Amino acid sequence: MGASPESIIFANPCKPASHLRYAKEKRIMTSTVDTEYEIYKIAKHYPESNLVIRFLCEAKDAQCPLGDKFGCNAEADAASLMLLAKSLSLSVTGISFHVGSGCNDFPAYNRAISIAKNLFKFGEMIGYNMKILDIGGGFPGADDDKFATIAEIVNTSLEKYFPDENVEIISEPGRFFVASAYTLVCKIHAKRDVRSEKKADLRMYYINDGVYGSFNCILYDHQKVTAEHFLEENDNLQKFKTLIWGPSCDALDKITDDAYLPNLSCGDLIAFPNMGAYTVPIASPFNGFLVPKTLYFKAN
């Protein structure tokens, strides 16, 4: 893709040996680790690597917690991992953390950065040139106020704990870049009214994308999607409790059951904003329904 090996960090803490050999072939020098097993593996397959130690500092409220899978205990294990690397003549050059994707516990960033500072000090004490801090990702891409709050906390913490300009601060802002870059537009192809006492209590719409396609974000990213209609705006337009289904034959293919929309018809379109992160890249053509086409529009 044209990226230089020096600018790449192999940030998955659990790497197949074949991937390490490929990284060695391409001279990708920096790898993230969080267990002694990974350090021994790197010592065997790619001892020239520069290691970044990832510790656990999970947010109390996150859309996708990651602590059960990645990150060593900062107090009990991080220093031991650095000492192990030292004993194996490996180089440790940085520290990383990830408070959880879609973090709503903003002070978690300050807690993590303060812990990272202590680990930097320990690494320097045992002779390492500590120069990289990876503050992870999960930053909101569709809420400017929330992002501004996180940015203020991060910047204040970095100024306090990492004023040295020789330390490179990096992050993993995938969600931030693309969450609001896409709006998904779907077509209603079937409709059903659920009635009680001759009254339609619930309207069901079946659309041409679902949880095996773009809406896999509901299952795997715990997203709550917003449905918008294209009818002419009218404050007096009656709205009904709405359940929206995907197109497959699976009853798990439910998109939302708490929307309120006007009376729509087959052939009408429904839009879902902020559908850029963890949607189409993970979609499959299950049951023969193709993934949506991407169309680009230039803003005036």
Side-chain angles (χ1 to χ4, degrees):
M1 299 298 292
S4 64
E6 297 80 14
S7 67
I8 297 173
I9 292 183
F10 197 165
N12 188 334
C14 302
K15 296 169 278 291
S18 60
H19 293 190
L20 272 175
R21 289 192 291 268
Y22 181 83
K24 182 176 182 177
E25 176 188 333
K26 298 300 181 181
R27 303 298 296 167
I28 296 167
M29 294 294 297
T30 307
S31 290
T32 302
V33 298
D34 62 2
T35 68
E36 65 271 26
Y37 302 106
E38 202 69 14
I39 290 176
Y40 282 121
K41 188 194 303 177
I42 288 176
K44 178 180 179 180
H45 295 285
Y46 194 5
E48 302 87 356
S49 295
N50 297 317
L51 304 186
V52 173
I53 306 295
R54 176 166 170 168
F55 69 89
L56 170 63
C57 187
E58 191 105 283
K60 298 174 184 176
D61 180 10
Q63 186 172 330
C64 289
L66 300 171
D68 287 344
K69 188 172 185 180
F70 297 122
C72 69
N73 184 292
E75 294 185 6
D77 299 324
S80 298
L81 293 180
M82 282 191 269
L83 289 171
L84 174 61
K86 191 77 174 177
S87 71
L88 295 172
S89 299
L90 300 176
S91 174
V92 175
T93 57
I95 299 294
S96 75
F97 63 84
H98 200 307
V99 299
S101 191
C103 172
N104 290 305
D105 173 20
F106 306 146
Y109 288 96
N110 177 69
R111 296 196 299 270
I113 291 170
S114 66
I115 293 171
K117 178 62 176 180
N118 291 332
L119 295 177
F120 256 69
K121 288 180 179 178
F122 182 82
E124 291 166 348
M125 185 180 70
I126 63 176
Y128 284 131
N129 178 20
M130 305 292 287
K131 56 186 180 181
I132 297 174
L133 174 63
D134 180 357
I135 65 171
F139 312 108
D143 189 324
D144 292 345
D145 292 337
K146 185 181 291 186
F147 179 76
T149 301
I150 292 174
E152 182 177 0
I153 291 173
V154 168
N155 288 334
T156 300
S157 300
L158 291 176
E159 289 172 5
K160 178 178 179 180
Y161 296 110
F162 289 92
D164 186 352
E165 293 184 359
N166 292 322
V167 176
E168 184 178 10
I169 312 296
I170 65 173
S171 63
E172 305 165 29
R175 183 190 298 275
F176 170 75
F177 280 133
V178 302
S180 61
Y182 288 77
T183 295
L184 178 67
V185 179
C186 299
K187 180 178 288 188
I188 297 172
H189 62 76
K191 176 180 177 179
R192 176 193 301 232
D193 287 342
V194 179
R195 300 178 181 276
S196 63
E197 298 180 358
K198 299 182 180 180
K199 178 182 178 182
D201 293 330
L202 177 68
R203 279 186 164 81
M204 294 184 181
Y205 300 116
Y206 301 74
I207 63 176
N208 58 347
D209 202 344
V211 300
Y212 295 101
S214 306
F215 292 99
N216 66 80
C217 59
I218 294 171
L219 299 181
Y220 302 120
D221 195 42
H222 312 294
Q223 285 194 34
K224 294 185 181 298
V225 299
T226 302
E228 298 179 352
H229 62 84
F230 285 91
L231 298 184
E232 185 177 342
E233 289 298 325
N234 187 335
D235 292 338
N236 298 321
L237 209 58
Q238 184 179 3
K239 294 184 178 180
F240 303 87
K241 184 171 176 58
T242 302
L243 193 160
I244 302 175
W245 297 99
S248 73
C249 296
D250 194 338
L252 181 66
D253 197 0
K254 181 192 294 184
I255 295 167
T256 180
D257 60 3
D258 62 355
Y260 284 86
L261 294 172
N263 185 27
L264 302 174
S265 302
C266 292
D268 284 346
L269 302 177
I270 302 178
F272 298 86
N274 304 321
M275 289 289 290
Y278 305 104
T279 55
V280 174
I282 323 172
S284 75
F286 176 67
N287 263 195
F289 294 98
L290 302 180
V291 297
K293 295 179 180 179
T294 301
L295 304 176
Y296 297 89
F297 296 87
K298 182 178 179 181
N300 292 327

